[in-house]
Amino acid sequence: MKNGLLYFLFCLAALVSSCDGTNTRYHIGVSQCSDDEWRHKMNKEMQREALFYDGVQVEFRTAKDNNQYQINDINYFIDRQVDLLIVAPNEAAAITPSVEKAIKKGIPVVVVDRKILSDNYTAFVGADNYKIGSDVGHYIVSRLNGKGNIFEVTGLQGSTPAMERHRGLMDALAGIPNIKRVGSVDGGWLQSQAGEKVDSVLRVHKDIDLLFAQNDRMAIGAYLAARQQGREKEILFVGVDALPGKDYGLEQVISGVLDATFIYPTGGDKVMQIAMNILEKRPFEKENILSTALVDKTNARVMQLQTDHILEQDGKIEKLNGQIDEFWSRYSAQTMFLYACLVILILFAALLGIIVRAYWMKNRMNAELSSQKKKLEEQRDQLISLSKQLEEATHAKLVFFTNVSHDFRTPLTLVAAPVEQLLEDEALTSRQRSLLQMVHKNVTILLRLVNQILDFRKYENGKLELVLSNIDLRAQLQEWSGAFRALALKKHIHFILDVENGQADYKMALDAEKMERIYFNVLSNAFKFTPENGSIVVTLSAIAQADGKEYARLVVSDSGSGISVQHIRHIFDRFYQIDVNHAGSGIGLALTKAFVELHGGTIAVDSMEGKGTVFTIDIPVNRWSATEIERKESEGIGIPSRSVVEELSEAETEEVKPDESKACVLVIDDNADVRSYVKSLLRDEYVVIEAPDGHTGVKMAMKYVPDVIICDVMMPVMDGLECCRQLKSELQTSHIPVMLLTACSLDEQRIAGFECGADSYIAKPFNSKLLLARLRNLIANHHRLRQFFGDKTTLSKEPVSEIDKGFADRFRRLIEENMSDSELSVEELGSKMGMSRVQLYRKIKALTNYSPVELLRIARLKKAASLLASSEKTISEITYEVGFTSPSYFTKCYKEYFGESPTDFLKRRG
């Protein structure tokens, strides 16, 4: 219901917005140079013309005859990204760069009235100011009968109308010697400025017959100045604009103030028409010249009547437009009200439907609930019964598991004792001693795991007890840490034991055996997940907590891979494993936490992926008196010894020099003992290289291209399945047989392995003879394939996989394209194939039983045989064409491969 209501409100908003008739399609900016009646008339004409187009917004700004103001206005419109810009330049030189900037920004520019100093604009609308000046000149000649003195009042000197009108005037008077221009002043297009300057001029010049001002306002200002000096009757005043209205040019001609004026049309409607043609992609003229005409006493009255009629029509149009806007507002409001009513009706109907449906569903659900209640009661009883059965079954399984663990101890002890006795025999060979030491080490590990399981079972049953003794924790940590020094050196790990406050007393009552296992579990975990060249720091310190008791704080921090937030909250849960690639029982840290809590302490972990992990263990300091220590020692309670530490060693990658007489085997396994054992089985027949995880294994396979790979399935960093998948997808290693080792014998995992491209599978624990037999068969089968694909009769036998087929095709094409190049080398072939020389050699050798050089020579000989049989070329020509450097060497190779010389072949061919 809530979603439906939101949908209806959205529809209402859409309807309201669709009813708004003010959507803007085009935004037009107008920058006027001045604020006078002539420009007001132009602006009104543009606004009125814009009403004939839908969605046109016109924005006006005036610079008030200031260049910087107009530059700021144009930049304002550019920043607003108007669709079109209309500019009446104040001064051409100053405004030209701003107009060109707008053009570069992609904004069309229509220049009106005045021009700029370049043609870089879209269109121009205005009168021909040169023609106006010329017409004024001709009128002056006619009015003065070819004789007299004139004075000129110009507009703003930097504006193009002022320059062009002056030039037109002077060109018209150039051929009339009796008419003299006695001077000129810059009136700036303003009445007051022109009046002040003409007042000064009239005091100097007493013989002016006619004064021409470049617009009507300046002409009226000159007239007023002359009237103040009583000279208005002796001078004729001529202006330009002929605007209708009170005190404007047309009325001043009728009243006799001005002798004549010339129409300078505003053309606002024409400007807007050109602008819309540009915006709507219709044809338009770049130069649009407006017509002009003389206005004097003979036609001024008629023109006034016409303009009055036009103004009356303009007023009616504006009134009609206002009425249209009012009607449109009413229509929009009524439409919105109608739609709102419809939406309310629809919502009411929907609400009514929801109520009816809710009532019907309530009745139906009540009936269903009553029936389901009985089912739930039955299911509850069943769940209680199943829970009891599950609890009993779990208890029975744990009892069985504990009993089996007890049973393990006897045979393990019987294995460990004879092995220890055998190790004392000095007649053992080094290999025998190494194997026995491996057996002894792993028997001890099994005993530790069995003891850990039994202890955990005791803890769950509440029967695990502390055997306290007075020990120096600092001394014990130093002793226990010594067992990890060799491992730290082997993995190049920076291992530090730091005891803060060396004068503190760390003698305390602890269960030494359990404390040792706490330390070994946490530190072993740190070594397991810290890569080579990492660091592990153990810190022992004395602290006082809020309860006032003294604690010994043990902090173990490493720079390993870290633990994600998802897993860290479960790290002390029993049987919890971060992922299947990290082997373990899942009870080590759970038992560690149990041992810490038995001592009344706490354990916490803080970790960040990629940054490392920090374990913090706080153990309360309980000290015995001297009498109590003596009594405990007399009872024989001491510190148990520990003979073996589980080493989490990683095999070091070593450089291997291939022995061509032996096959190369890569062993990938995270257990160093397994790698060592497999290597001891294979070293007599094969060159063996090792890798501690799948990621390193892929790199070594790419580097050495071995003949076969033996890979464990469950490994950290990259498991065996992903490792196999990558090996089979890489061009350099796709041909290498892969044998997977796994402790899991489920068919599903075997299927997953074969789907990843594995060639063979062996389950752990494996029989050494079975491993050797499988390995020999893999290599023998691969050799038979090489013999088949390396048959001398062809170079295009199909390889065993699509990736190898593509590789062979590329290599064959490469040989064919470069056959004539006698300098072609294996390095160059490898570079073009994207492989090193060694990788290319081993790949080609594995697929064809030939080296790349032998394949290249065979291809050249076969091409030569084809040319000998099908062309008339000489033996020398063919020799160089197929890439041999000399005919004698070519003949020797040809005879060795085909059993006859090229000459014998040509003779036999006839």
Side-chain angles (χ1 to χ4, degrees), residues 292-308:
T292 184
L294 170 67
V295 178
D296 57 12
K297 290 183 179 180
T298 60
N299 59 358
R301 182 68 62 182
V302 175
M303 288 195 64
Q304 186 179 37
L305 292 174
Q306 290 177 340
T307 54
D308 289 344

Side-chain angles (χ1 to χ4, degrees), residues 212-431:
F212 166 56
Q214 290 188 353
N215 72 357
D216 290 343
R217 284 191 299 171
M218 294 190 296
I220 294 170
Y223 174 83
L224 294 175
R227 191 172 64 180
Q228 287 180 355
Q229 297 185 24
R231 297 181 60 187
E232 74 275 10
K233 300 295 184 181
E234 62 187 61
I235 301 175
L236 300 176
F237 296 90
V238 177
V240 176
D241 278 346
L243 284 178
K246 182 175 175 58
D247 298 329
Y248 294 158
L250 186 59
E251 184 179 283
Q252 298 298 342
V253 172
I254 295 173
S255 63
V257 172
L258 298 182
D259 183 68
T261 185
F262 286 79
I263 295 175
Y264 186 61
T266 53
D269 51 353
K270 181 67 174 179
V271 172
M272 188 55 61
Q273 291 168 10
I274 296 297
M276 294 309 299
N277 285 342
I278 294 171
L279 290 173
E280 295 181 348
K281 311 300 182 184
R282 292 193 296 265
F284 66 92
E285 297 290 338
K286 182 171 182 178
E287 301 294 332
N288 300 273
I289 306 302
L290 303 177
S291 300
T292 184
L294 170 67
V295 178
D296 57 12
K297 290 183 179 180
T298 60
N299 59 358
R301 182 68 62 182
V302 175
M303 288 195 64
Q304 186 179 37
L305 292 174
Q306 290 177 340
T307 54
D308 289 344
H309 180 69
I310 291 172
L311 290 173
E312 182 182 354
Q313 296 300 321
D314 288 346
K316 291 180 179 179
I317 290 172
E318 290 178 3
K319 183 177 180 180
L320 287 173
N321 183 60
Q323 291 177 344
I324 290 172
D325 289 341
E326 182 181 354
F327 292 151
W328 178 255
S329 298
R330 291 180 185 177
Y331 170 77
S332 298
Q334 291 170 356
T335 304
M336 288 171 59
F337 179 74
L338 176 62
Y339 283 130
C341 291
L342 288 174
V343 170
I344 292 171
L345 287 174
I346 293 171
L347 288 174
F348 179 77
L351 182 61
L352 183 63
I354 290 170
I355 293 172
V356 172
R357 185 172 182 271
Y359 178 77
W360 176 76
M361 288 184 66
K362 178 184 176 183
N363 292 334
R364 190 184 70 177
M365 290 180 67
N366 286 336
E368 290 179 355
L369 286 173
S370 60
S371 63
Q372 288 180 4
K373 183 179 180 182
K374 295 179 181 179
K375 293 180 181 179
L376 288 173
E377 290 175 351
E378 294 175 359
Q379 291 176 357
R380 181 195 62 190
D381 296 337
Q382 291 176 358
L383 285 173
I384 292 172
S385 175
L386 287 172
S387 177
K388 291 180 179 178
Q389 294 175 15
L390 181 61
E391 185 177 351
E392 292 172 358
T394 303
H395 179 72
K397 288 180 181 180
L398 288 174
V399 170
F400 172 75
F401 193 41
T402 304
N403 293 337
V404 170
S405 298
H406 275 288
D407 292 339
F408 280 159
R409 298 182 73 173
T410 300
L412 286 173
T413 304
L414 293 175
V415 172
V419 169
E420 289 176 355
Q421 293 177 7
L422 288 172
L423 283 170
E424 295 174 359
D425 187 354
E426 296 181 357
L428 292 174
T429 65
S430 60
R431 180 175 181 183

Side-chain angles (χ1 to χ4, degrees), residues 753-772:
F754 287 124
E755 286 178 347
C756 291
D759 297 270
S760 182
Y761 232 114
I762 290 186
K764 293 180 180 178
F766 53 83
N767 183 286
S768 60
K769 293 182 179 179
L770 175 62
L771 176 67
L772 290 169

Side-chain angles (χ1 to χ4, degrees), residues 360-566:
W360 176 76
M361 288 184 66
K362 178 184 176 183
N363 292 334
R364 190 184 70 177
M365 290 180 67
N366 286 336
E368 290 179 355
L369 286 173
S370 60
S371 63
Q372 288 180 4
K373 183 179 180 182
K374 295 179 181 179
K375 293 180 181 179
L376 288 173
E377 290 175 351
E378 294 175 359
Q379 291 176 357
R380 181 195 62 190
D381 296 337
Q382 291 176 358
L383 285 173
I384 292 172
S385 175
L386 287 172
S387 177
K388 291 180 179 178
Q389 294 175 15
L390 181 61
E391 185 177 351
E392 292 172 358
T394 303
H395 179 72
K397 288 180 181 180
L398 288 174
V399 170
F400 172 75
F401 193 41
T402 304
N403 293 337
V404 170
S405 298
H406 275 288
D407 292 339
F408 280 159
R409 298 182 73 173
T410 300
L412 286 173
T413 304
L414 293 175
V415 172
V419 169
E420 289 176 355
Q421 293 177 7
L422 288 172
L423 283 170
E424 295 174 359
D425 187 354
E426 296 181 357
L428 292 174
T429 65
S430 60
R431 180 175 181 183
Q432 291 171 337
R433 185 173 299 279
S434 174
L435 292 174
L436 284 172
Q437 286 174 343
M438 186 185 303
V439 172
H440 184 264
K441 174 183 173 181
N442 285 278
V443 166
T444 308
I445 292 172
L446 282 173
L447 280 170
R448 183 182 64 81
L449 292 173
V450 168
N451 291 334
Q452 192 164 272
I453 293 168
L454 294 174
D455 286 344
F456 189 76
R457 179 64 178 148
K458 287 180 184 178
Y459 172 73
E460 286 198 324
N461 292 332
K463 296 179 180 179
L464 190 62
E465 297 179 354
L466 290 177
V467 181
L468 297 177
S469 59
N470 194 58
I471 67 171
D472 186 344
L473 184 58
R474 172 170 48 195
Q476 287 301 125
L477 288 180
Q478 290 171 346
E479 180 183 339
W480 295 334
S481 298
F484 288 89
R485 297 296 179 188
L487 180 58
L489 289 172
K490 192 169 187 177
K491 292 189 68 174
H492 306 290
I493 290 176
H494 188 54
F495 177 40
I496 299 175
L497 172 61
D498 180 23
V499 180
E500 296 181 0
N501 190 5
Q503 303 301 319
D505 184 8
Y506 290 102
K507 289 182 179 179
M508 50 198 294
L510 296 171
D511 186 325
E513 191 271 338
K514 291 181 176 60
M515 193 65 206
E516 181 188 24
R517 286 167 66 178
I518 291 171
Y519 185 62
F520 272 80
N521 273 344
V522 175
L523 198 54
S524 297
N525 195 70
F527 272 94
K528 190 176 195 177
F529 294 103
T530 301
E532 290 191 3
N533 301 313
S535 64
I536 297 175
V537 179
V538 179
T539 305
L540 177 64
S541 60
I543 63 168
Q545 292 192 353
D547 56 5
K549 294 183 65 175
E550 185 181 355
Y551 284 80
R553 170 164 288 178
L554 181 64
V555 179
V556 179
S557 60
D558 64 66
S559 60
S561 55
I563 306 168
S564 67
V565 177
Q566 174 188 358

Side-chain angles (χ1 to χ4, degrees), residues 38-54:
W38 189 86
R39 303 207 177 271
H40 290 170
K41 185 172 183 293
M42 177 190 287
N43 292 344
K44 286 183 179 180
E45 291 172 348
M46 285 192 283
Q47 283 180 317
R48 185 169 60 247
E49 187 67 23
L51 295 175
F52 294 99
Y53 303 95
D54 292 333

Side-chain angles (χ1 to χ4, degrees), residues 90 109 113 126 145-146 240 267 306 326 439 525 582 587 614 895:
N90 187 50
V109 179
D113 177 25
N145 295 318
V240 176
Q306 290 177 340
E326 182 181 354
V439 172
N525 195 70
H582 293 86
I587 63 173
V614 178
K895 188 170 183 179

